[in-house]
Amino acid sequence: MQKSEVTIHDISKALGIDSSTVSRALNDSPRVSSKTKAKILAKATELGYRRNSLASNLRTNKTYTIGVVVPRISRNFFSNVISGIEETAYENGYNVIICQSLESLDREQKIMNTLLSNRVDGVLISISMETTSFKHLEPFKNYGTPIVFYDRPCNYGGCTSVSINDFEASFMATEHLIFNGCKRIVHFGGPQHIELYQNRKKGYISALEKHGLEFDKTLFLETKLTEEDGVKLAKKVINIKGGVDGIYAANDTSAISAMRYFKLNGVIIPDEISIVGFNNDPISVVIEPSLTTVNQPDFEMGQIAAKALIDQIKEKKCKTKALVLGSDLIVRGSSSKIRLS
Amino acid sequence: MQKSEVTIHDISKALGIDSSTVSRALNDSPRVSSKTKAKILAKATELGYRRNSLASNLRTNKTYTIGVVVPRISRNFFSNVISGIEETAYENGYNVIICQSLESLDREQKIMNTLLSNRVDGVLISISMETTSFKHLEPFKNYGTPIVFYDRPCNYGGCTSVSINDFEASFMATEHLIFNGCKRIVHFGGPQHIELYQNRKKGYISALEKHGLEFDKTLFLETKLTEEDGVKLAKKVINIKGGVDGIYAANDTSAISAMRYFKLNGVIIPDEISIVGFNNDPISVVIEPSLTTVNQPDFEMGQIAAKALIDQIKEKKCKTKALVLGSDLIVRGSSSKIRLS
DNA sequence: ATCCAGAATACAATCGATTGTATTTTTGAA
DNA sequence: TTCAAAAATACAATCGATTGTATTCTGGAT
């Protein structure tokens, strides 16, 4: 009863057919007559045979599995990306192992080790906010295991990155605030060793400059953009001398958390402060006023990243350096200021 | 450069030591002298050796991997459960494969097949809303691979279920509405072949009866509780003859979606209709009025389920039939009716 | 110097499936 | 009926690590 573990050898014995033939039959090889195939298939289902992927993968040196490293699956953006990845992966016969780094480098390193030991065929990764070195990615080179970055692009080992144009999106978002009359705009930025957040900051600065607003260092606030950070940031904003009339946050989580703090403390949005976020979390449309935010093609990003990776796994062909997707600003109540002055 | 694939045999050759000794050394066996161990370890890192888990797992018939089947990772409740599972799993040296069924039975079946082929040591599953038969779980019995249900308990093969007491929580939620003066309470129920949703319905009915309110079939609305369902349900509620003054929804998603529809259509919450949800989604505290809801120990549920599974994997000992966790009602604005009449 | 127990290491089979090569069987044409 | 080519099947090595058993080595006691 326990450990039935039917193998091709059991089928082989039961039918008096060599195990190699059984294997070929189960893989629908043309080297086996259809009559024998039928017999084998029948016996296989009768005995409840299940291929042992471990053995198969060991022999073929191929696992049809791709590893996905994600900072945090609970973020709506990421869970949508994952859905996109899964869809494309399954369509192409690949399995997916999802791992959360929880924004920790230590965890990310452990994950990469595990993925390597498990001989995944490729990895899709959005690096953690703590990741400053790429040493833990080195071994993948030796194994010829391709890596594709998504959302958070990286200049590493000629790997492909799939992302939106964060500079442009940021520029648009900031410019939108400016068009609405904001003159002192705070930027809630993410860790600046991450290219993504650098680009968002650059877009912000560039928009300011284009419109003759000087970049004021005291209006740039760097955090990890968590919910807790949002509250801290809001407090800081209230105390900034010279006042603040707009906030462009590099994600919705911090923007919404700050908004809630403002609301509790009588700061009127958007009248006193306009706010723009990033990611279009479902919550952004529910909060009042609803949050203006940058919408990214998350699901599609997952599909495209997975496709790019699978192409590299299969053909080992030339890699595109970067795949850049479009994004758009969704204007909502948090920034629709009507200035009467 | 490509495919370096260092094996224990490479180390073996490089040092003139048998591969069995190398294997033992890498596993820190007492049968190898510490001097030799040191030599081997050094050579291993020098060559960049990585254990091939496929080979190891094949030989030992153990993968130290548990499969997690989840309806949808984007649901906050589930992503928290997963975090709990991961934490406990990693602490115990287990890897985790996360798979989304997307509430589809077909997908769930495919997933179970893959997990079986990959010879996971155990499975944690919250069945999909379409799952009415458990045929796809049968093979796991033969392999002696334990299954533990979480969140959505199941009476199947003596497997352990980890969940809250849905009947009680539901009872409390409904009673809360009654205490607030509601007399015609609609229940947004989930698929009734799922034990979880049966229990929630039973709790609802029981609370009604306790307070002398008759169960009115027309006030019980069964759907899959999606966002779209929420809108449809809200429309129905508005048209129910005899009126409705309270809603107890079996999840927050549908409750919030309905709330938004009500707000857009001038139905005042909680004055005209009080609402209680289930799950304590982050969004429930942001919407206005904030949503009264049942909070479950999600992270903890993940930890406990993982622990239960690992115990079964390790000791194959007596299984607890059911592990029931506590839950509590978080009262917020959507149900704090102040009746002046 | 000799012998023995225990430590250290080597040998060889094994996990289950795959695959190149060899052998047998079948088929069709002469 | 015979034979070569093609089809079908069998043989055997292999993937990389593990593990029971056998062998060699070591140090200490006699």
Side-chain angles (χ1 to χ4, degrees):
Chain A
M1 197 62 45
Q2 287 274 63
K3 284 198 270 179
S4 107
E5 289 283 338
V6 181
T7 73
I8 53 171
H9 304 290
D10 297 320
I11 300 175
S12 163
K13 267 177 236 157
L15 295 172
I17 293 176
D18 190 80
S19 61
S20 64
T21 302
V22 174
S23 171
R24 290 196 167 92
L26 293 172
N27 286 308
D28 203 27
S29 152
R31 282 180 55 175
V32 180
S33 71
S34 42
K35 206 169 46 175
T36 314
K37 260 182 206 170
K39 240 190 301 182
I40 291 173
L41 262 299
K43 188 55 93 178
T45 42
E46 180 199 325
L47 299 180
Y49 169 82
R50 312 255 152 190
R51 154 190 283 113
N52 185 324
S53 299
L54 298 173
S56 172
N57 293 342
L58 172 61
R59 184 61 228 266
T60 59
N61 199 31
K62 192 106 186 44
T63 58
Y64 285 100
T65 298
I66 66 186
V68 177
V69 186
V70 65
R72 202 175 288 275
I73 56 173
S74 63
R75 289 275 168 87
N76 186 263
F77 169 75
F78 285 119
S79 57
N80 285 335
V81 175
I82 289 173
S83 295
I85 291 171
E86 282 197 323
E87 179 164 301
T88 298
Y90 289 148
E91 274 171 8
N92 288 274
Y94 281 79
N95 295 122
V96 168
I97 295 184
I98 300 162
C99 308
Q100 291 191 79
S101 69
L102 300 177
E103 304 286 9
S104 143
L105 174 57
D106 178 60
R107 247 184 110 99
E108 187 174 287
Q109 289 168 333
K110 283 186 190 144
I111 288 169
M112 293 311 267
N113 264 321
T114 305
L115 291 178
L116 203 58
S117 276
N118 282 84
R119 300 294 194 273
V120 294
D121 291 342
V123 174
L124 288 169
I125 180 171
S126 196
I127 54 165
S128 88
M129 285 196 185
E130 286 178 14
T131 304
T132 48
S133 134
F134 296 110
K135 257 186 219 143
H136 55 306
L137 305 186
E138 288 293 336
F140 285 81
K141 254 190 210 157
N142 306 331
Y143 284 82
T145 305
I147 293 177
V148 167
F149 296 100
Y150 66 92
D151 185 46
R152 301 178 182 172
C154 283
N155 226 323
Y156 167 79
C159 295
T160 303
S161 288
V162 181
S163 67
I164 63 163
N165 186 326
D166 287 288
F167 176 89
E168 264 184 22
S170 238
F171 188 95
M172 278 188 343
T174 310
E175 201 170 39
H176 166 74
L177 286 170
I178 298 172
F179 287 152
N180 272 273
C182 298
K183 300 224 177 303
R184 288 190 42 87
I185 303 170
V186 161
H187 175 41
F188 291 176
Q192 288 300 303
H193 55 268
I194 309 265
E195 234 184 270
L196 169 88
Y197 293 114
Q198 279 175 24
N199 290 335
R200 291 197 186 162
K201 182 183 180 187
K202 284 182 194 160
Y204 156 75
I205 295 178
S206 180
L208 292 182
E209 286 172 349
K210 177 182 170 195
H211 293 278
L213 298 173
E214 208 173 338
F215 168 55
D216 178 347
K217 267 182 294 186
T218 62
L219 298 187
F220 169 72
L221 304 176
E222 178 177 339
T223 67
K224 284 191 176 179
L225 302 171
T226 64
E227 209 174 313
E228 295 75 49
D229 289 327
V231 175
K232 288 182 205 158
L233 289 165
K235 286 181 189 166
K236 274 194 198 160
V237 165
I238 288 179
N239 292 321
I240 285 177
K241 52 178 178 281
V244 166
D245 55 8
I247 293 174
Y248 159 51
N251 78 4
D252 281 354
T253 307
S254 63
I256 286 166
S257 176
M259 270 178 83
R260 293 184 59 206
Y261 184 85
F262 288 142
K263 287 171 70 177
L264 283 174
N265 289 275
V267 178
I268 311 296
I269 301 164
D271 304 28
E272 297 176 55
I273 297 186
S274 291
I275 303 184
V276 174
F278 212 110
N279 278 355
N280 195 21
D281 281 352
I283 211 169
S284 67
V285 72
V286 167
I287 195 168
E288 293 182 30
S290 54
L291 178 64
T292 296
T293 187
V294 176
N295 184 52
Q296 302 185 65
D298 39 25
F299 186 85
E300 202 185 346
M301 185 183 288
Q303 290 181 305
I304 290 173
K307 192 71 181 54
L309 181 67
I310 293 171
D311 282 349
Q312 285 180 34
I313 291 172
K314 280 189 179 158
E315 328 210 355
K316 316 239 171 207
K317 74 173 170 186
C318 63
K319 317 172 187 177
T320 324
K321 201 64 170 289
L323 287 164
V324 179
L325 314 185
S327 63
D328 48 353
L329 187 72
I330 300 181
V331 178
R332 300 208 185 95
S334 69
S335 66
S336 311
K337 192 175 312 199
I338 299 166
R339 287 187 173 256
L340 302 175
S341 57
Chain B
M1 198 61 44
Q2 287 275 64
K3 283 198 271 181
S4 105
E5 288 284 337
V6 180
T7 73
I8 54 171
H9 302 292
D10 298 320
I11 300 176
S12 162
K13 267 177 233 155
L15 295 172
I17 294 176
D18 190 78
S19 61
S20 64
T21 302
V22 174
S23 170
R24 290 197 167 91
L26 293 171
N27 286 309
D28 202 27
S29 154
R31 282 179 55 174
V32 181
S33 71
S34 43
K35 206 168 49 176
T36 315
K37 260 181 204 169
K39 241 191 299 180
I40 291 174
L41 263 299
K43 187 54 94 178
T45 42
E46 181 198 325
L47 298 180
Y49 170 82
R50 312 256 153 190
R51 152 190 285 113
N52 185 324
S53 299
L54 298 173
S56 172
N57 293 343
L58 172 61
R59 185 59 229 264
T60 59
N61 200 31
K62 191 107 187 43
T63 57
Y64 284 99
T65 299
I66 66 186
V68 177
V69 186
V70 65
R72 202 175 289 276
I73 55 173
S74 64
R75 291 274 168 87
N76 186 263
F77 169 75
F78 285 119
S79 57
N80 286 335
V81 175
I82 290 173
S83 295
I85 291 172
E86 282 197 325
E87 180 165 298
T88 297
Y90 289 147
E91 273 170 11
N92 288 274
Y94 281 79
N95 295 123
V96 168
I97 296 184
I98 300 162
C99 307
Q100 293 191 79
S101 68
L102 299 176
E103 304 286 9
S104 143
L105 174 57
D106 179 59
R107 248 182 110 100
E108 186 174 288
Q109 289 168 333
K110 282 186 190 145
I111 288 169
M112 293 311 268
N113 264 321
T114 306
L115 292 179
L116 204 58
S117 278
N118 283 85
R119 299 294 194 270
V120 293
D121 291 342
V123 174
L124 288 169
I125 179 170
S126 196
I127 55 165
S128 89
M129 286 196 185
E130 286 178 14
T131 304
T132 48
S133 133
F134 296 111
K135 257 186 219 142
H136 54 307
L137 306 186
E138 287 292 337
F140 285 82
K141 255 191 210 157
N142 305 330
Y143 284 82
T145 305
I147 293 178
V148 167
F149 297 100
Y150 66 92
D151 185 47
R152 301 178 182 173
C154 282
N155 227 322
Y156 168 78
C159 296
T160 303
S161 287
V162 181
S163 67
I164 62 163
N165 186 325
D166 287 289
F167 176 88
E168 265 183 23
S170 238
F171 187 94
M172 280 187 344
T174 310
E175 201 170 37
H176 166 75
L177 285 170
I178 298 172
F179 287 152
N180 272 273
C182 297
K183 301 225 176 301
R184 287 188 48 85
I185 303 170
V186 162
H187 175 42
F188 291 177
Q192 289 300 303
H193 56 270
I194 309 266
E195 233 182 272
L196 168 89
Y197 293 114
Q198 278 174 23
N199 290 335
R200 292 198 183 161
K201 182 183 179 187
K202 284 181 194 160
Y204 155 76
I205 294 178
S206 181
L208 293 181
E209 287 172 347
K210 177 183 171 193
H211 293 278
L213 298 173
E214 209 175 338
F215 168 55
D216 178 348
K217 268 182 295 186
T218 61
L219 298 187
F220 169 71
L221 305 176
E222 177 178 340
T223 67
K224 285 192 176 178
L225 302 171
T226 64
E227 208 175 314
E228 297 74 48
D229 288 328
V231 175
K232 287 182 206 156
L233 289 164
K235 285 181 190 166
K236 273 193 197 161
V237 165
I238 289 179
N239 292 321
I240 285 177
K241 51 178 178 280
V244 166
D245 54 9
I247 294 174
Y248 159 52
N251 79 4
D252 281 354
T253 307
S254 62
I256 287 167
S257 175
M259 269 178 84
R260 293 183 59 205
Y261 184 84
F262 288 142
K263 287 170 69 177
L264 284 173
N265 290 274
V267 178
I268 311 296
I269 302 164
D271 304 29
E272 296 176 58
I273 298 186
S274 292
I275 303 184
V276 174
F278 212 110
N279 279 354
N280 195 21
D281 282 352
I283 211 168
S284 67
V285 72
V286 168
I287 194 167
E288 292 183 29
S290 53
L291 178 63
T292 296
T293 186
V294 176
N295 183 53
Q296 302 185 65
D298 38 25
F299 187 84
E300 202 187 344
M301 186 183 288
Q303 290 181 305
I304 290 173
K307 192 70 181 50
L309 181 67
I310 292 172
D311 282 348
Q312 285 180 35
I313 291 173
K314 280 189 179 159
E315 329 210 355
K316 315 239 171 206
K317 74 172 171 185
C318 63
K319 317 172 187 174
T320 321
K321 202 62 171 288
L323 287 164
V324 180
L325 314 184
S327 63
D328 47 354
L329 186 72
I330 300 181
V331 177
R332 301 207 185 96
S334 68
S335 66
S336 310
K337 191 175 314 196
I338 298 167
R339 287 185 171 256
L340 302 175
S341 57

